[in-house]
Amino acid sequence: FGVVGGEERVKAFIDGCGVLEMECIVGVSTREQAEAAVALGARIVCVVGVSDVDEKAAVVEGLSSPEEGDAICTVAAIIARDDKSLEEVEEAWILRDKGFNAVWVSDCLYKSGNDPIEAPGNIIRSMKAKSSVKYASPKAKHGKGEGAREYLGDILM
């Protein structure tokens, strides 16, 4: 939001995307930016630059469109950790449980890869799985700790 030069530039991008019949994904890092983006017409808001899950949720909590019937799609960017664990998978599950519609992942898909279960495709499948941090582990290969096998869906670009 602030990177592109404020509300006037954000509005120009949102309007430009509308001309192309596309939706603009507006990156925000504060509650005020999220509210301003929605007021300008954004319908997809991505929380970026925030590492704490609860802080991410607070940025978009109760966010609603001024246009009745328009839904706001909330996305959370997941930042790769320096360690070799797969905490990003658990973060995706927690964010889903907190009401986010999607997660944006990139660098965390390629931080490991030494183990066959850590390949990018497997990490994406783990994130899409309907599972819980209470009963499952992202590294479980089979049996206990595996979680449910339901498909939650995805949006690809």
Side-chain angles (χ1 to χ4, degrees), residues 18-141:
V19 168
L20 297 171
E21 297 183 6
M22 298 173 63
E23 289 291 335
C24 183
I25 301 173
V26 179
V28 299
S29 54
T30 66
R31 176 73 184 180
E32 294 75 26
Q33 289 177 346
E35 289 172 347
V38 170
L40 292 170
R43 296 299 170 257
I44 304 176
V45 177
C46 181
V47 180
V48 297
V50 179
S51 58
D52 183 69
V53 173
D54 291 325
E55 288 177 26
K56 288 178 185 179
V59 170
V60 297
E61 186 177 0
L63 203 58
S64 62
S65 170
E67 304 288 327
E68 192 172 322
D70 281 355
I72 303 298
C73 177
T74 55
V75 181
I78 295 180
I79 301 167
R81 314 294 192 297
D82 289 336
D83 60 5
K84 293 293 182 183
S85 68
L86 292 176
E87 291 176 11
E88 296 87 355
V89 173
E90 292 181 358
E91 183 177 343
W93 297 342
I94 294 167
L95 290 166
R96 179 205 57 225
D97 292 344
K98 290 194 174 286
F100 278 88
N101 302 106
V103 292
W104 185 288
V105 295
S106 57
D107 52 346
C108 67
L109 298 177
Y110 300 100
K111 72 174 196 173
S112 298
N114 296 329
D115 189 333
I117 64 168
E118 293 175 349
N122 291 334
I123 293 172
I124 292 170
R125 277 190 287 284
S126 292
M127 288 180 170
K128 294 188 315 187
K130 181 181 179 190
S131 200
S132 121
V133 291
K134 183 176 179 182
Y135 297 108
S137 163
K139 291 188 102 174
K141 293 180 184 176

